[in-house]
Amino acid sequence: MEWPGEFPKDHAFVELLIPGVSSDMDFEQFLKDTEEKLSLNASSIEQHLKELQAKLGDSRTGDRPPSPTEVLQWFNMRAQNTLKPLSTDLLDFFRALQQYLKSEEEGKEEVTLQLLLNLSAQCGVRFPCSSSSSSLHPNLPGSSVHTIHMVKDDSSLEIQEAWDAVRLQLRRFLVARLSYYTSGHPPGSPQISTLTILERVHYLQQLFFLYPECEVLTDYQGLKQQYVLSILHSSMSSSPGGETGFDRVAMGFCNMVQHVTRALTEELQVLLRVAEPQVVLGLLNVAYFGAVTQELTSQMEREFETAQRDNTALSSKIKKYSARSRATVAPMELPLKSRSFSLTSHQLRALTQLACVLLGFERDVRELITNSTFINCTGDTPTLKGILKKPKEDSSSTTDGKKPTADKLHTPEAQTLEFNWRSAFSRLVPHMEHCVKVVLDDVCAKNLQQEEALHSSGHTLVTLSLIADFSVSNKHLKEDFFYKDSERDAPKMTAKFCGAILTELDALLPLAVACRDISLLGVRSSFVEACSRAAFAMLGRLQERALEVPSSAPLKNLPALLASCIYVQQRLEHYNVMLKDSSTASAKISLTLLPIQRCHEIVEALRQQLTSYCIQVCLTCILQDAESHDWADPKPFYEGERCSFSLQMWFYFLCGLRSDLWAVLPSELAKDVLGYVLAETLQLLVRRYSRVRASYKRHLQIRCDITAVLLYVEHLMWSVSETAEDVILINPSSEITIIGGGSDWPYQIHSLCDQLLTVLLVVTAPISFVHRTFMNSASKDSAPRQLERPVVRWLNAINPDLFTEQVIRDGVMGEAALACQLKLLTSDPGCSPKLLLGMLLHEDCHLPRILLENSYFCQETDSEMSTENYKAGDDFIVALFNLFSCLNNVPKALTQALQPYLEKAHIWKYLYTLADTTQKAPVVIDCIRTLVTKSTNSILVHLVSLALAWQSTEECSKAALFKRKVPESVLAKIPKDWNYGAPDGRGKDTTSKTVISLAIQALSFIFTNLPLAVASLPLSIRFLFQMAEKHLSQHARQLRSMGLLLWALLGCLIQGLEDLDALEKISGLALDCGAKDYLSLLRECLQAAMSIQHKGIPKPTVQKVLQALEEKRPKWINMQLQKARKLCAESIFEQGTDRGAAAAELTEQKIGLMLLEVCHKAGGCVYLRQIYHIIQGNEELLMSKLNGSRDSPDLSVNFDVSPESANHTACFNPLLQFDHIGKKRLDQSEVVDWTWDWPRLLPAYEGMSQVTFRSLVANSSAFRRIFRQLFDISLSPCLSKTAEGRERE
């Protein structure tokens, strides 16, 4: 499309990002808008070039029309150095200006500058822009392009001197303004510039008008270098804690970072508007990074001398560095002249803190420059090169315009970001090398000695501490230095001595990472060697303690030692990664693979020792029970009222082992170890009960024992399984996994339990049922029934109500599946994010709705709620909102999860007044408002820039006012042939037209980018507004044209224009009165466009703006509103229809992708963990609701659940667990009298192997007794005949 008339043709691109998973319509609209903007901008450039050709073509190129390239060259001030003589009155004009500048009149510099700019713009005068000293810049590029009027550059010496005097005075004024900072600032606080970014840009552009760009930037470079040095000096002198030595340096540079980073951010916004990115890089290297290096070197030299004086190693009395350091490291074995002093451990930590601060500053600056200039500075070498080189001497801008001769502009060379602060540590390298070695060796030896002393005192248990307790108390360390593996792969606890040693290694890691220059590699090498020694020492001690199990140490030590070894391995692998990230080959000094490989070997050995010992304990001790297993005893075991003691103790042992594993090991490893031990011990029980031949009185004990085993295994299956399918179904691929050498404990356990059930049915079932089932089927020669898929019969037999035949065949569905997932989640060693996310999305977010329906949000309770519970409830709502709002794959999930809360609290009405921040609203409204305002902030920032640019243009348009202020003595000396015109007096009308034109431009910008603002909102938010609109029928008239979401979005935009303080904070720009008035006018225009009625009559300007917009583009605003509204409704519909089946059947892969999306969002993992703890703390209520129980109607959800209290409920209680299965008490009489559905179960085994059947039948006491009776009956006739014969005889 084309914009007619005076409409704006420059369309800026707003930083509104479309979510990663969005609808196709969103992307189509985004691409269409982008293409349209590019087309409009191209046509705008072309039209403006044609206008310039029409105005200036005749005078510049004669009859030939200039080409676009020639027109663009007119704006290249460097190319215009060929100046022609113009007027004999030029000397008088310059002398008049010089005399005027010497006067006492206020504002004479601004008037002079504006006059010169007007002469250049209106009359085409090109004033000389040569260097102030031709010897400094002799080789300036030339061009043959002509100008309309040109002042001769090689004019007489008098004219040149007069012009130099004029521009020198103006230069002093501009430099003074650029170096203007706040006065009266507190002592020690850094100076703050009071100039806005646009003002600094304006002054630099005026300097470019007077002097060459390279000379101006070199002066500005020196000016900013002095400014940065002043910040550094004030930061160093404002140490609040009275630190001394290297502590003072570290704290000073810590204070410096925030001020320099803020100044650097503003500087980038200034320089990128006036110079090329390559030039900006060179200037920053000298002015900022060079100043930091200079000050750091100076401070380090000073502290080096102080430390050399205070820590002299050869003196008889070693001084203490500080109250926190009580020992000085021993001197190094160096030549006599080098043995000057030794660093203390506290000084080394201060140097590490300083390195941390500077590493963080370097990383933040690289990211800032990369994001601002699109130059890849995140690595070691940016992709673009600069031309400003760091001068050999410090440059400073002076008011007389003279500069040191060392500031030369070099030819283009390779230019990178130069962070040379590491060179300041070079003098301390030998001392740091020695100190790192001694400190780490001392810490290692000290902790090992403490552990040995504790062990020698008879304390056989390994002293453990939580991993979270071992954190370096250094707030300046970045997260990279504390990178942790995923929660499920990381151990929860470690040996105390290992944690203490690794904490010290963590503390010194940043220093080793920082020392990557060749001159500093000795420090890194010393750290690597000390780290290897500490690793081998820790591993050796862990092996020693492992060998003591079980002779002199308990089994509980093995999981603790295994967890400690895993933690050591993970930290060493992290050190290896951190020390390999250097670009130079010489700096790649990393850990050798030997310590890491040794860790891996010991982990495998400890794991093997743990599993084999647990299995041996079960096989040789626990399951060896002579009294329980005296199968030939004719008397029943305990009158047939209980199962075997050994089985009860076997389950007790496994529960205790599970508690020990869950407490320290990574989740996956803990489940793997428990599953292996359970499967191996089950194999023994299968062999035992399949071979036993019990007496008639004891065969019921076999039934009772196998029943108890199946009940025990059912409880433990939830702890070793990953999904509900693992608990219920046998995966056919499991056999392939096991054959290939893998481990699949659920499959093995299911198979063994099926074998136990077979033994129970054949050996202990009533003989009549066995005979009727197997003998009758054999006589009929019926073929065995072939099942379509393998099923788990033992779960169906032991718990037919939960594991029905349909569940065994098809899997769990509905609320039963949710109950199974809940049991899996609470039985897991830790939070399983994938399982939790699947639970929350299951059955249209049924679980979150249960929690909300049974909470104080939806229930009226008479009991008083604590303030903590109210706050925890709001936090839970925030967690749910932030979790579901980023799931664009399931846009309905957010509304479905919060539905009870939305309806009960009448949230819909607050969405209509979303922009109103004065009324108190529920916490979810604040979350929604944050997301909506985030999409409007980008538009607001551009509107602020537009307003400030207009204000600057408005000031420039007030040239007539300047002309009135210019003395007549100056105006009279302007050469006549320049044809400088008088003011026309149309300033007011021109200003009014400019305001209207700019308001139209801003409105067009808003409505052009409105569809993109909608597309940047998550699909879940758009669906929420769509549902809310159906509940707001009372506002149907207002929402008919735009819908609720656009109403709220434009309302937030209006509110943002009204809150000017927040607008300054968002944009980072100061607003003057003119810009505020313009933004106020724009707000009123938006209100009028939305048909919002306010008191009073709209301003005439507002009516003119809307009328002009409607005349030029009829119904264009309505067209844009409809285009944006399509994305509010149809994109959601499209998403739902295409993915309806996917939402109903969330596969593991889809959940994994959504989990990745959640984890990439800031705080996503924290929200998941928070929801997990609330579910864990309300497990009883959730299970009762999912099972349809009506026994606990008064239960209410408790949101105030801490992780400690949630984990405490899952702890192992020895006294309780002895006769319980989980939380349910095990009644031995129930096990003995367990009801088995023989007619239903036995026919399923008709097709079993005859060999197996005969072997089991042979073990049945009932069959043996029947066979014996049949044998006696068959022999009775013979015995009777023999007796009669004897009587006759």
Side-chain angles (χ1 to χ4, degrees):
M1 70 178 181
E2 294 184 0
W3 286 92
E6 300 175 354
F7 270 61
K9 306 177 183 66
D10 182 17
H11 291 265
F13 290 87
V14 189
E15 296 180 0
L16 288 169
L17 300 179
I18 295 180
V21 180
S22 191
S23 68
D24 295 337
M25 183 175 292
D26 292 339
F27 288 108
E28 289 176 4
Q29 185 63 45
F30 173 72
L31 294 175
K32 188 183 298 183
D33 289 347
T34 303
E35 184 178 358
E36 186 176 311
K37 289 177 183 178
L38 289 173
S39 177
L40 287 171
N41 286 339
S43 62
S44 173
I45 294 173
E46 185 177 351
Q47 182 174 346
H48 283 303
L49 286 177
K50 290 179 180 179
E51 293 175 359
L52 280 173
Q53 288 175 343
K55 291 181 180 179
L56 305 177
D58 295 337
S59 60
R60 292 212 175 214
T61 59
D63 297 333
R64 179 181 61 84
S67 66
T69 304
E70 291 176 332
V71 175
L72 291 176
Q73 284 292 331
W74 297 343
F75 301 97
N76 186 1
M77 299 181 68
R78 298 180 189 174
Q80 303 178 19
N81 70 317
T82 305
L83 305 178
K84 296 182 177 181
L86 182 63
S87 174
T88 57
D89 298 332
L90 188 58
L91 181 59
D92 295 337
F93 173 63
F94 285 158
R95 286 178 175 174
L97 286 178
Q98 189 176 0
Q99 191 67 26
Y100 173 59
L101 288 173
K102 291 179 180 179
S103 66
E104 299 296 331
E105 186 173 346
E106 184 179 357
K108 55 183 179 298
E109 291 87 357
E110 290 97 332
V111 173
T112 303
L113 281 168
Q114 191 60 54
L115 175 61
L116 294 174
L117 289 171
N118 291 341
L119 288 171
S120 178
Q122 182 178 340
C123 304
V125 177
R126 174 71 172 90
F127 292 96
C129 189
S130 59
S131 172
S132 57
S133 177
S134 59
S135 60
L136 292 180
H137 310 286
N139 299 321
L140 286 175
S143 175
S144 60
V145 179
H146 302 280
T147 55
I148 300 177
H149 302 289
M150 288 188 162
V151 181
K152 188 177 180 182
D153 194 20
D154 55 350
S155 57
S156 65
L157 185 59
E158 280 186 288
I159 296 177
Q160 185 66 41
E161 288 179 352
W163 168 243
D164 286 343
V166 169
R167 63 175 182 167
L168 178 59
Q169 181 69 22
L170 297 176
R171 177 180 186 169
R172 290 173 178 173
F173 165 74
L174 292 173
V175 169
R177 294 301 299 267
L178 283 172
S179 58
Y180 183 74
Y181 303 105
T182 54
S183 58
H185 56 275
S189 62
Q191 296 177 339
I192 301 174
S193 176
T194 58
L195 298 177
T196 64
I197 292 174
L198 292 178
E199 286 176 331
R200 278 182 268 180
V201 171
H202 181 62
Y203 293 144
L204 282 174
Q205 289 173 340
Q206 289 179 329
L207 280 172
F208 291 162
F209 176 76
L210 300 173
Y211 292 93
E213 178 182 330
C214 57
E215 183 177 349
V216 173
L217 289 179
T218 304
D219 289 343
Y220 187 70
Q221 173 179 282
L223 186 69
K224 300 311 294 185
Q225 186 176 21
Q226 295 299 320
Y227 171 60
V228 174
L229 287 174
S230 69
I231 293 179
L232 294 171
H233 293 156
S234 61
S235 299
M236 295 302 301
S237 62
S238 60
S239 179
E243 288 84 359
T244 58
F246 293 113
D247 282 314
R248 181 185 65 84
V249 179
M251 289 303 300
F253 275 84
C254 178
N255 297 332
M256 169 275 301
V257 163
Q258 55 180 338
H259 300 297
V260 173
T261 304
R262 183 172 64 246
L264 185 60
T265 304
E266 296 181 359
E267 202 63 58
L268 281 170
Q269 297 183 52
V270 173
L271 292 175
L272 290 175
R273 299 183 186 213
V274 298
E276 295 295 327
Q278 304 95 318
V279 179
V280 173
L281 280 184
L283 189 148
L284 296 180
N285 280 335
V286 178
Y288 282 83
F289 314 136
V292 170
T293 302
Q294 175 185 337
E295 180 64 20
L296 179 64
T297 303
S298 173
Q299 295 292 334
M300 293 292 284
E301 288 290 336
R302 183 183 308 166
E303 297 304 329
F304 178 85
E305 299 297 334
T306 303
Q308 190 176 28
R309 183 178 64 254
D310 294 346
N311 296 358
T312 301
L314 300 180
S315 62
S316 58
K317 182 179 180 181
I318 300 177
K319 299 182 179 181
K320 301 293 187 294
Y321 174 67
S322 68
R324 288 172 289 180
S325 178
R326 292 293 182 265
T328 304
V329 176
M332 299 175 292
E333 295 298 328
L334 295 174
L336 185 61
K337 62 180 181 179
S338 300
R339 297 176 59 183
S340 55
F341 73 97
S342 298
L343 290 174
T344 65
S345 59
H346 181 75
Q347 288 172 327
L348 186 65
R349 288 183 176 85
L351 290 172
T352 303
Q353 181 177 349
L354 176 61
C356 256
V357 171
L358 294 172
L359 281 173
F361 172 69
E362 179 177 335
R363 187 182 69 171
D364 293 342
V365 167
R366 288 187 187 276
E367 292 178 357
L368 176 64
I369 294 178
T370 300
N371 295 332
S372 301
T373 64
F374 300 103
I375 301 176
N376 183 17
C377 298
T378 54
D380 292 317
T381 304
T383 56
L384 292 182
K385 312 302 179 183
I387 60 174
L388 275 181
K389 289 294 291 180
K390 179 181 177 181
K392 296 180 181 179
E393 299 178 7
D394 299 333
S395 61
S396 59
S397 177
T398 59
T399 56
D400 59 357
K402 297 182 180 180
K403 307 178 301 302
T405 59
D407 290 346
K408 296 182 179 180
L409 185 65
H410 293 262
T411 56
E413 297 179 8
Q415 181 67 59
T416 65
L417 288 182
E418 298 175 359
F419 294 98
N420 296 324
W421 56 266
R422 291 173 177 82
S423 61
F425 290 81
S426 57
R427 287 194 66 183
L428 289 170
V429 168
H431 314 286
M432 289 193 296
E433 282 184 44
H434 178 69
C435 191
V436 166
K437 172 183 175 298
V438 173
V439 167
L440 291 180
D441 290 347
D442 180 66
V443 168
C444 183
K446 178 181 177 181
N447 283 278
L448 290 175
Q449 290 173 3
Q450 291 177 353
E451 191 276 339
E452 180 63 32
L454 187 64
H455 181 265
S456 302
S457 65
H459 193 81
T460 56
L461 276 175
V462 175
T463 305
L464 295 174
S465 296
L466 291 171
I467 299 294
D469 294 342
F470 295 108
S471 59
V472 181
S473 57
N474 189 347
K475 62 182 180 180
H476 309 293
L477 287 178
K478 297 294 182 182
E479 294 180 0
D480 290 348
F481 296 108
F482 296 114
Y483 173 78
K484 297 179 181 179
D485 295 87
S486 65
E487 186 176 351
R488 296 187 66 78
D489 296 331
K492 302 176 181 65
M493 304 185 79
T494 185
K496 187 175 181 180
F497 74 94
C498 289
I501 295 173
L502 291 172
T503 300
E504 192 66 28
L505 290 173
D506 285 342
L508 296 181
L509 175 64
L511 184 62
V513 173
C515 295
R516 67 182 184 184
D517 290 351
I518 296 178
S519 60
L520 306 178
L521 288 182
V523 179
R524 177 176 289 199
S525 178
S526 180
F527 174 84
V528 169
E529 293 173 2
C531 185
S532 299
R533 288 193 298 271
F536 282 117
M538 288 185 288
L539 294 176
R541 183 59 55 86
L542 292 174
Q543 278 187 299
E544 291 178 14
R545 297 295 172 253
L547 293 175
E548 296 175 358
V549 180
S551 59
S552 59
L555 169 65
K556 194 173 183 179
N557 279 5
L558 283 181
L561 296 172
L562 178 57
S564 302
C565 193
I566 293 173
Y567 183 59
V568 173
Q569 178 183 349
Q570 291 177 350
R571 295 311 298 164
L572 290 180
E573 290 174 347
H574 176 59
Y575 298 160
N576 190 41
V577 172
M578 292 296 296
L579 295 175
K580 270 187 177 179
D581 63 345
S582 180
S583 61
T584 57
S586 59
K588 290 184 178 178
I589 297 181
S590 59
L591 286 174
T592 62
L593 296 178
L594 188 59
I596 300 176
Q597 183 180 357
R598 185 61 180 158
C599 283
H600 181 71
E601 294 172 355
I602 295 178
V603 166
E604 291 300 322
L606 289 176
R607 176 180 175 177
Q608 179 64 28
Q609 181 182 357
L610 173 61
T611 54
S612 60
Y613 177 73
C614 291
I615 294 171
Q616 289 300 318
V617 166
C618 292
L619 298 184
T620 59
C621 299
I622 296 177
L623 293 177
Q624 298 301 323
D625 183 6
E627 182 181 4
S628 301
H629 299 155
D630 187 6
W631 303 112
D633 191 351
K635 297 180 181 179
F637 178 68
Y638 270 77
E639 303 299 329
E641 295 180 354
R642 62 166 295 115
C643 67
S644 300
F645 288 116
S646 59
L647 296 179
Q648 191 172 359
M649 295 307 299
W650 168 72
F651 176 66
Y652 183 77
F653 171 79
L654 290 179
C655 290
L657 176 63
R658 177 179 62 179
S659 177
D660 293 342
L661 298 177
W662 266 220
V664 296
L665 289 180
S667 299
E668 299 301 329
L669 179 60
K671 296 174 76 168
D672 194 55
V673 170
L674 181 63
Y676 181 77
V677 174
L678 177 59
E680 291 296 320
T681 53
L682 266 179
Q683 288 185 9
L684 171 66
L685 295 177
V686 170
R687 290 195 299 268
R688 170 179 295 176
Y689 287 102
S690 61
R691 297 174 183 176
V692 67
R693 291 193 174 188
S695 65
Y696 180 73
K697 294 292 186 179
R698 286 268 179 152
H699 85 283
L700 291 180
Q701 183 188 351
I702 298 177
R703 181 191 301 173
C704 181
D705 285 357
I706 295 178
T707 303
V709 170
L710 295 180
L711 289 173
Y712 293 150
V713 175
E714 181 201 3
H715 174 73
L716 293 174
M717 275 296 296
W718 300 101
S719 298
V720 299
S721 301
E722 293 290 340
T723 63
E725 287 73 17
D726 290 339
V727 177
I728 299 166
L729 301 175
I730 292 181
N731 188 358
S733 63
S734 299
E735 296 187 33
I736 302 176
T737 303
I738 295 174
I739 293 173
S743 60
D744 193 335
W745 312 128
Y747 174 82
Q748 296 185 24
I749 293 169
H750 283 315
S751 179
L752 294 170
C753 289
D754 272 341
Q755 296 178 40
L756 282 176
L757 179 61
T758 303
V759 173
L760 182 144
L761 292 174
V762 177
V763 176
T764 69
I767 191 62
S768 59
F769 288 103
V770 176
H771 181 273
R772 186 181 307 118
T773 302
F774 292 95
M775 297 305 177
N776 292 344
S777 62
S779 62
K780 296 178 182 178
D781 295 329
S782 59
R785 182 175 57 183
Q786 297 294 332
L787 300 179
E788 296 180 359
R789 56 185 293 187
V791 293
V792 183
R793 296 288 176 182
W794 73 276
L795 283 174
N796 173 251
I798 200 71
N799 192 352
D801 295 332
L802 177 60
F803 304 104
T804 63
E805 291 186 4
Q806 183 180 0
V807 169
I808 297 299
R809 183 173 60 253
D810 303 328
V812 287
M813 303 174 71
E815 292 191 357
L818 198 54
C820 290
Q821 291 176 351
L822 177 60
K823 197 165 184 179
L824 275 173
L825 185 70
T826 54
S827 302
D828 198 85
C831 175
S832 175
K834 186 180 293 186
L835 178 61
L836 176 59
L837 186 58
M839 281 180 56
L840 295 174
L841 293 172
H842 188 76
E843 290 289 318
D844 296 334
C845 306
H846 186 53
L847 188 68
R849 283 191 278 118
I850 292 178
L851 288 171
L852 292 176
E853 287 171 356
N854 294 275
S855 66
Y856 71 87
F857 290 114
C858 301
Q859 290 182 348
E860 296 181 1
T861 57
D862 297 333
S863 58
E864 294 184 0
M865 299 287 293
S866 63
T867 306
E868 291 77 10
N869 198 36
Y870 277 118
K871 184 180 182 303
D874 288 342
D875 293 340
F876 177 69
I877 294 292
V878 172
L880 284 180
F881 179 87
N882 289 323
L883 175 66
F884 287 112
S885 62
C886 64
L887 299 180
N888 286 289
N889 274 312
V890 278
K892 298 181 181 180
L894 176 63
T895 306
Q896 291 170 342
L898 299 177
Q899 185 177 0
Y901 169 66
L902 296 174
E903 294 179 351
K904 188 69 177 179
H906 305 289
I907 301 298
W908 317 113
K909 65 179 182 181
Y910 293 100
L911 294 177
Y912 182 76
T913 57
L914 184 67
D916 187 3
T917 57
T918 58
Q919 63 175 348
K920 185 178 180 181
V923 65
V924 70
I925 295 298
D926 296 332
C927 297
I928 298 172
R929 185 186 293 119
T930 301
L931 278 180
V932 174
T933 54
K934 184 179 179 181
S935 67
T936 60
N937 284 345
S938 298
I939 297 178
L940 288 173
V941 169
H942 185 79
L943 293 177
V944 170
S945 301
L946 199 63
L948 292 176
W950 168 78
Q951 185 67 17
S952 177
T953 305
E954 185 67 16
E955 291 176 358
C956 292
S957 68
K958 296 177 181 178
L961 298 179
F962 282 109
K963 290 177 183 178
R964 295 173 187 172
K965 294 181 181 178
V966 177
E968 290 295 332
S969 59
V970 175
L971 290 175
K973 298 297 182 179
I974 297 177
K976 303 299 181 181
D977 52 356
W978 286 0
N979 297 324
Y980 183 57
D984 54 6
R986 294 180 297 175
K988 186 174 181 181
D989 295 337
T990 305
T991 302
S992 177
K993 290 182 179 180
T994 304
V995 169
I996 294 176
S997 176
L998 196 66
I1000 293 175
Q1001 182 180 356
L1003 281 179
S1004 66
F1005 173 81
I1006 292 172
F1007 286 102
T1008 298
N1009 290 280
L1010 194 59
L1012 185 58
V1014 172
S1016 68
L1017 290 172
L1019 289 172
S1020 53
I1021 298 297
R1022 286 184 258 172
F1023 184 82
L1024 176 65
F1025 274 93
Q1026 186 190 36
M1027 292 295 102
E1029 191 172 343
K1030 298 178 181 179
H1031 293 78
L1032 297 174
S1033 57
Q1034 67 273 23
H1035 302 293
R1037 184 177 61 83
Q1038 293 89 337
L1039 303 178
R1040 186 180 298 114
S1041 61
M1042 63 183 67
L1044 181 59
L1045 178 56
L1046 291 177
W1047 176 272
L1049 197 147
L1050 290 173
C1052 290
L1053 195 58
I1054 293 172
Q1055 177 63 30
L1057 292 172
E1058 185 175 0
D1059 191 353
L1060 298 176
D1061 294 334
L1063 203 55
E1064 289 183 341
K1065 185 177 180 181
I1066 293 171
S1067 62
L1069 302 173
L1071 297 173
D1072 53 16
C1073 295
K1076 291 179 181 179
D1077 293 340
Y1078 165 71
L1079 294 174
S1080 177
L1081 172 64
L1082 184 58
R1083 173 176 56 84
E1084 294 179 8
C1085 292
L1086 267 180
Q1087 290 174 341
M1090 292 177 62
S1091 302
I1092 299 178
Q1093 299 295 332
H1094 285 277
K1095 294 182 179 179
I1097 302 174
K1099 293 181 180 179
T1101 308
V1102 174
Q1103 296 177 350
K1104 290 180 181 179
V1105 170
L1106 296 179
Q1107 184 177 357
L1109 186 60
E1110 182 64 24
E1111 289 176 356
K1112 299 294 184 181
R1113 298 288 295 175
K1115 299 183 179 179
W1116 178 76
I1117 292 181
N1118 290 331
M1119 290 169 54
Q1120 291 299 113
L1121 289 175
Q1122 293 306 315
K1123 186 188 298 184
R1125 191 173 186 183
K1126 278 172 136 183
L1127 302 178
C1128 302
E1130 292 188 17
S1131 60
I1132 300 296
F1133 176 77
E1134 175 191 350
Q1135 194 84 0
T1137 53
D1138 290 348
R1139 302 175 185 173
E1145 185 181 350
L1146 291 170
T1147 63
E1148 185 175 352
Q1149 182 181 6
K1150 292 175 183 176
I1151 293 178
L1153 292 175
M1154 286 188 284
L1155 180 62
L1156 192 64
E1157 189 176 0
V1158 170
C1159 294
H1160 281 175
K1161 181 180 180 180
C1165 296
V1166 177
Y1167 298 136
L1168 274 175
R1169 196 176 301 112
Q1170 181 181 350
I1171 297 171
Y1172 165 74
H1173 290 311
I1174 291 176
I1175 291 175
Q1176 195 177 22
N1178 294 276
E1179 179 187 2
E1180 183 180 354
L1181 182 145
L1182 290 171
M1183 289 299 286
S1184 65
K1185 296 298 179 182
L1186 291 173
N1187 295 329
S1189 175
R1190 305 293 182 183
D1191 299 336
S1192 54
D1194 297 334
L1195 284 178
S1196 181
V1197 174
N1198 177 28
F1199 293 113
D1200 188 17
V1201 180
S1202 62
E1204 294 76 13
S1205 61
N1207 294 331
H1208 180 72
T1209 59
C1211 291
F1212 177 73
N1213 187 344
L1215 298 178
L1216 179 68
Q1217 196 63 48
F1218 182 79
D1219 58 351
H1220 280 67
I1221 297 181
K1223 297 181 180 179
K1224 187 177 181 181
R1225 190 176 185 278
L1226 176 65
D1227 192 347
Q1228 293 287 344
S1229 61
E1230 291 182 5
V1231 178
V1232 173
D1233 299 331
W1234 195 270
T1235 303
W1236 293 95
D1237 191 355
W1238 308 112
R1240 183 179 66 86
L1241 297 175
L1242 285 172
Y1245 291 85
E1246 292 178 0
M1248 68 183 301
S1249 171
Q1250 292 187 7
V1251 176
T1252 304
F1253 176 74
R1254 289 173 180 175
S1255 299
L1256 293 177
V1257 166
N1259 296 334
S1260 173
S1261 61
F1263 269 99
R1264 292 202 309 271
R1265 185 173 182 181
I1266 291 175
F1267 290 151
R1268 189 179 300 110
Q1269 292 176 355
L1270 292 175
F1271 180 74
D1272 293 341
I1273 293 173
S1274 63
L1275 292 180
S1276 59
C1278 300
L1279 293 175
S1280 60
K1281 291 180 181 179
T1282 305
E1284 291 177 358
R1286 288 178 180 176
E1287 289 178 359
R1288 292 194 188 98
E1289 293 177 357

